[in-house]
Amino acid sequence: MSGPKISVYSLTGHARAIVMGQIRCEQQSLACAEQTREILHGLQTFSGDFEREVANIQLLMRRTAEGADQIEKLRQLKEKLSKEATAIQEELKNHMPHASQKYRISEEAYAEKQAELKILQAIRKRAETLQGELNAVFSQDKKNTLNIQASILNDLGMAEGVEKETQTLDFMMRDKTQNIERIQASIIDDISGIYSFDLSEEVQVEQVTSLENKKADLSLKLVSLLNDNVLPDNIVVEIQQAEKYLQKISNIQYLSTFEAVTLSRLKQRIADYNEERNKYKKEFDNLRARYKALCNMEEEIAKEYDFTEESLNILNTEIIRLEHSLIKQREQEYINECVNEVMTEMGYDLIGERSVKKRSGKRFKNELFTFHEGTAVNVTYSSEGQISMELGRISREDRIPNSEECEMLTRDMESFCSEFTEFENRLRAKGVVVNNRIALYPPSAEYAAIINVSDYDVVEGAQITEIKSVERKKKIVEKKVIRRNE
């Protein structure tokens, strides 16, 4: 039964669960590190926002005498941000995860991966907490902006207010999205169209009616709905329509209704949209981090994806593909490693190896192990997971074995039969079992082959013995004689 043997091996259920567990831990660890790096990058590029916020508060202080305590909070937060972000970055550096090329199948190895993940999750939590503190302080930005705008409207007349409003909006919102810019332009155009009457120098601020002031105030509130929002076109259109409807109102009582109904409904719609968007944005960020981690583990270049529904579906598909490929690859790498370990444990020394790519594109890896003097076991690993083993005479040329070599190789095949059983028993002890037995040929001269060792990269220091047929036959006879005398 010991001609060439072709088998597909796989891990036992328990062994596969441990490998998959370690892969998942590494994937989450790499994703966790990536998310922490992104948070830290955002925190460290916040200096310009501090300066802008301080300028806003100072403008508010000049008009309302409020905000001194908030400037102090900002100063303290900036110092804390610098210190904490540096400490978190250093801790992340000390625990930076990496993709393993092979895994140990043991509960201890799995526990180590789980412990590493918990450390990284704690580091990310610290970064998220710091980010939350920053967001909480800067949530005052909208309130400050609205307070400044209200102060300007109270102090200025309508004509001056329109001009100043435009300047203030340009300053406060110059970094916002195209949607905001489009709405701003629309609102300013509408206001200008309605209040396009000539205002001579004699026209005083007091002539601006409370109705007009209220309209301008509500217009600013419509603009403020777009602060920090990236809204869909249907909500943008609703805001535009609400502004046009607002400017047609001529009764101040209707303005109160507009604010209570129309403006409140728009606020709720935006809140609902942002809640839903944030939920999917968080999912998108997690998927993107997992995808990048898997690409890292697979040594594949990660593609960039924008936050869209289509991207969510693509990322999910890519993650499934990469996980399947990675698990299969790591499982095969572990099996190949186990084969090498068992061969070494059984006294077979690795003497050479090579990688081959066929015209079909298939790749094979060959490893050559000593068996008897002048004989070797050639182990071939295919990219599909097949492992084949066959015996051959060692030579330094390509040729066909002669009849004496065929006879000797047939006897070696018979000898390898019991050893192959032991080989698979040892693999089983490492969690590797036969999944599919493709071929198990009997010992026969037709399978006798010559292995040209010149085709292999010989391991440094390897002892390669070539023995002539007559010498080998003589040694076999001598051994038989000794046994008989014993």
Side-chain angles (χ1 to χ4, degrees), residues 9 14 75 77 89 94 157 203 233 248 266 356 413 451 474:
Y9 295 94
H14 179 67
R75 185 190 64 79
L77 179 61
Q89 190 170 32
N94 294 334
V203 178
D233 288 341
K248 293 178 182 179
L266 282 170
V356 180
M413 292 178 198
I451 299 174
K474 181 180 179 182

Side-chain angles (χ1 to χ4, degrees), residues 163-179:
E163 180 182 355
K164 294 294 185 181
E165 176 188 340
T166 305
Q167 294 173 357
T168 303
L169 289 173
D170 287 341
F171 172 74
M172 296 295 180
M173 304 173 67
R174 60 176 177 266
D175 295 327
K176 301 303 180 182
T177 63
Q178 292 180 355
N179 279 344

Side-chain angles (χ1 to χ4, degrees), residues 351-352 354 368 370 374-376 392-401 405 449-468:
I351 58 176
R354 67 176 180 176
L368 207 56
T370 57
T375 310
R393 288 296 304 278
I394 296 175
S395 178
R396 294 189 181 275
E397 60 180 345
D398 293 318
R399 61 181 179 85
I400 298 174
E405 288 172 326
I450 298 295
I451 299 174
N452 186 354
V453 75
S454 301
D455 295 333
Y456 292 76
D457 295 324
V458 177
V459 175
E460 185 176 354
Q463 298 295 320
I464 300 177
T465 304
E466 292 182 74
I467 187 169
K468 295 179 181 180

Side-chain angles (χ1 to χ4, degrees), residues 210-212 214-215 218 242 245-264:
S210 58
L211 174 68
E212 293 163 344
K214 184 66 174 176
K215 283 186 179 182
L218 290 173
Y245 174 73
L246 170 65
Q247 300 307 333
K248 293 178 182 179
I249 296 176
S250 58
N251 188 317
I252 195 168
Q253 292 180 345
Y254 291 163
L255 289 181
S256 298
T257 304
F258 176 89
E259 183 172 17
V261 178
T262 305
L263 189 60
S264 296

Side-chain angles (χ1 to χ4, degrees), residues 411-429:
R411 284 196 294 268
D412 283 340
M413 292 178 198
E414 293 171 351
S415 174
F416 187 60
C417 174
S418 60
E419 296 187 33
F420 183 72
T421 301
E422 174 65 15
F423 168 80
E424 291 199 329
N425 287 338
R426 294 195 182 206
L427 280 181
R428 189 176 296 107

Side-chain angles (χ1 to χ4, degrees), residues 28 31-33 35-36 39 88 92 119-129 286:
Q28 292 179 52
C32 198
Q35 290 169 326
T36 305
I39 293 173
I88 293 171
L92 178 63
I119 291 173
L120 286 161
Q121 287 174 333
I123 294 173
R124 181 181 62 185
K125 185 64 176 177
R126 285 179 58 191
E128 289 174 340
T129 300
N286 288 333

Side-chain angles (χ1 to χ4, degrees), residues 59-158:
L59 178 59
L60 179 65
M61 287 177 64
R62 286 198 295 270
R63 293 185 169 278
T64 65
E66 297 177 359
D69 57 336
Q70 194 173 355
I71 289 180
E72 178 60 22
K73 286 182 181 178
L74 283 173
R75 185 190 64 79
Q76 293 176 359
L77 179 61
K78 188 175 182 180
E79 291 179 0
K80 180 180 180 180
L81 178 67
S82 177
K83 184 178 178 181
E84 284 289 314
T86 301
I88 293 171
Q89 190 170 32
E90 186 64 26
E91 190 171 357
L92 178 63
K93 181 180 177 181
N94 294 334
H95 295 279
M96 187 61 68
H98 65 278
S100 301
Q101 295 303 311
K102 61 181 180 180
Y103 298 97
R104 291 181 292 120
I105 296 186
S106 67
E107 296 292 345
E108 293 78 10
Y110 187 17
E112 288 175 8
K113 297 292 184 185
Q114 290 174 313
E116 292 170 4
L117 175 58
K118 286 182 179 179
I119 291 173
L120 286 161
Q121 287 174 333
I123 294 173
R124 181 181 62 185
K125 185 64 176 177
R126 285 179 58 191
E128 289 174 340
T129 300
L130 192 59
Q131 185 184 47
E133 291 182 35
L134 192 66
N135 291 339
V137 171
F138 275 82
S139 66
Q140 281 294 119
D141 182 53
K142 289 182 184 179
K143 295 180 181 179
N144 291 337
T145 301
L146 289 176
N147 288 336
I148 293 168
Q149 292 168 345
S151 174
I152 291 172
L153 285 174
N154 288 333
D155 293 346
L156 301 176
M158 189 61 198

